[in-house]
Amino acid sequence: MTVLKGIDISNHQKGFSLSATNPDFVIVKATEGLGLVDKYCDAFVQDALRLNIPFGYYHFARSNDPAKEATFFYDNTKNYIGKGIPILDFEVPNPNSWIETWCKTFYQLSSIKPWFYTYSDYINNQGYGTPWVKANCGLWLAGYPRAYTSYPSPDCPYRHAGWTLAAWQFTGLLAMGGMSVDGDFFYGDRRAWNAYAGNNGTGDSSGSMVPGPTLLELATNVIKGKYGNGADRRAALGSRYDEVQAKVNDLYAKANNVIKGKYGNGTARRNELGDEYDIVQYIVNNMLK
């Protein structure tokens, strides 16, 4: 069997050069939860397309509604469909039903069956996965038998009964491009990769990431209750939690200033607040009820 040697990267590897390293394939973080779009994803993907490097793109699961998380991933990556392999990165203690709902929802939206990424302990000791997922989704298995800094033998030592082992992530310490990155093997050739991706073989490289929600859009959704409160909100927003919460506080401060007459009325207020007018006015109206 042909085996390809690749890597997976995210915002933690900003500045990483695919052209200087030329891996056999690259997998890139795209989204997380319901609010995070990795701002480095599309640049990495466009480089991969330009360099003719097979790519995958993944969603980091949180504990929100699985259908909503799958839809969020799809909405922000739908221009990659048919070009790269979509993947669910599952590292949270959600139930089996969560996994199946996410994978089926993405499949219904895209007509592509995603890979499922998890640790060997999950599938061997905790029972994660469902018959549908096992039968339809390639497994990207993570397990680090040693602290490898270069590619070892590609023989995965971890059990994966009932799964189709598509790839093995064997280290987080692979030395490449002056950085430590995650190292991976893919069990197949480029034709097999393209089959997982649903690639039509045209080599079309026109896809680009659908822009993710802006800071104002995220803050607006928080104010309107979309992401809940406390731990639920933090989980949904991921690494953008602090900046979004700061923006929420700023919008409430502006609403208080509206009530105090600082921004005037009518057109003057609208011009002063610009794109923030609608949500600030929403807060004002609720405060004055």
Side-chain angles (χ1 to χ4, degrees), residues 18-190:
L18 290 175
S19 60
T21 53
N22 197 35
D24 289 343
F25 65 90
V26 62
I27 298 172
V28 183
K29 180 177 181 179
T31 59
E32 178 179 333
L34 289 173
L36 173 66
V37 175
D38 193 306
K39 63 183 179 181
Y40 294 96
C41 174
D42 198 52
F44 285 139
V45 168
Q46 296 309 313
D47 278 349
L49 288 165
R50 178 176 57 84
L51 296 165
N52 197 29
I53 296 173
F55 76 95
Y57 54 101
Y58 70 86
H59 174 79
F60 190 93
R62 290 296 183 180
S63 297
N64 308 290
D65 181 282
K68 290 181 179 179
E69 286 205 23
T71 301
F72 176 74
F73 178 55
Y74 172 78
D75 285 344
N76 284 284
T77 61
K78 56 189 171 185
N79 287 348
Y80 296 164
I81 299 298
K83 300 177 175 67
I85 297 174
I87 304 162
L88 171 62
D89 182 338
F90 185 79
E91 303 180 39
V92 290
N94 296 341
N96 285 344
S97 59
W98 196 102
I99 301 167
E100 181 163 329
T101 298
W102 193 100
C103 291
K104 283 185 172 179
T105 299
F106 184 82
Y107 175 54
Q108 290 163 359
L109 291 168
S110 67
S111 298
I112 304 294
K113 295 170 182 176
W115 279 5
F116 175 63
Y117 168 98
T118 193
Y119 292 103
S120 61
D121 182 59
Y122 280 3
I123 63 168
N124 288 316
N125 299 317
Q126 301 183 37
Y128 282 90
T130 69
W132 190 92
V133 175
K134 287 183 179 181
N136 289 280
C137 300
L139 175 66
W140 178 19
L141 187 61
Y144 305 165
R146 289 176 53 191
Y148 293 113
T149 58
S150 60
Y151 287 95
S153 165
D155 297 324
C156 179
Y158 299 100
R159 292 180 293 114
H160 47 274
W163 295 88
T164 298
L165 183 64
W168 171 34
Q169 183 189 79
F170 63 87
T171 187
L173 300 172
L174 183 68
M176 182 178 286
M179 299 183 184
S180 290
V181 299
D182 294 341
D184 306 275
F185 289 108
F186 170 67
Y187 299 105
D189 56 14
R190 292 193 62 154

